[in-house]
Amino acid sequence: MTETRLRTWTHASGYSLASVFIAILAVQNLRYGFYNLFYLGLAMTAVLLVGLAYTVICRRHQLSAPGHAILLTLINAGLAATVVTLDAPGIGHWAAPLVVLNLLILPLRRGLLLSAALLIPVLLSAWFSSTLVAALNLTGGLLLLLAITAWYAWHYDHMAESAKDLALTDPVT
């Protein structure tokens, strides 16, 4: 399997799973009468599905597709703005699929920067509006998820770079 095909499958899977997760959260918020969060979930699901379509359309150019950064910045900024402006219970959990998606699709540094830009308002909001136990749980969970996903992304980049170096080096000569 080529690098481009692997990235296409990874990006498509990431967008699909994140859109299903956010759509389920949207439906849950509709059931409980949080209409603002329902509409936010619909908008985020729509952007994630656009990312899936972009992945399929640009499947032969996944290594240089700049649209992923734009889409992920848009969806992260929307969630960060919502966290700051709305006093919605449990909205910090919406950041989990986006943290994974940022690091799965974008290069490591850009994914870390975008995830940090999302996590700062989410965690500050949790610490100022939730109980101590809830804030600790959310902080610990999101930071652990960020660390594990960042390690995976670093490890994958390192292995891909090693494979490229081995392909360029001929041990006989």
Side-chain angles (χ1 to χ4, degrees):
M1 181 175 282
T2 64
E3 177 77 15
T4 303
R5 186 176 292 167
L6 181 64
R7 285 188 188 256
T8 300
W9 278 100
T10 304
H11 293 176
S13 300
Y15 278 122
S16 299
L17 290 173
S19 64
V20 166
F21 185 82
I22 296 294
I24 289 171
L25 286 174
V27 170
Q28 282 295 100
N29 282 298
L30 178 64
R31 286 182 46 195
Y32 291 112
F34 297 118
Y35 298 111
N36 291 339
L37 294 179
F38 170 70
Y39 294 125
L40 171 70
L42 284 182
M44 288 174 68
T45 302
V47 173
L48 289 168
L49 291 176
V50 167
L52 176 62
Y54 179 74
T55 299
V56 171
I57 291 169
C58 297
R59 66 184 172 273
R60 302 209 189 280
H61 308 288
Q62 285 302 306
L63 298 176
S64 63
H68 293 298
I70 296 167
L71 289 169
L72 289 173
T73 301
L74 176 70
I75 198 165
N76 281 284
L79 183 60
T82 303
V83 165
V84 171
T85 57
L86 285 180
D87 185 27
I91 188 121
H93 301 298
W94 292 44
L98 296 183
V99 167
V100 173
L101 201 60
N102 291 338
L103 291 167
L104 190 65
I105 292 178
L106 297 175
L108 183 60
R109 285 188 183 145
R110 197 177 305 164
L112 281 173
L113 285 174
L114 195 56
S115 295
L118 173 64
L119 288 181
I120 289 171
V122 167
L123 295 179
L124 285 176
S125 172
W127 280 97
F128 287 123
S129 65
S130 299
T131 63
L132 178 65
V133 173
L136 277 173
N137 283 338
L138 183 66
T139 302
L142 287 176
L143 291 180
L144 184 64
L145 182 67
L146 178 70
I148 290 169
T149 310
W151 178 82
Y152 169 77
W154 173 84
H155 183 68
Y156 177 80
D157 288 343
H158 179 71
M159 295 302 289
E161 197 64 36
S162 295
K164 188 167 67 171
D165 289 344
L166 286 173
L168 295 176
T169 306
D170 183 12
V172 176
T173 59

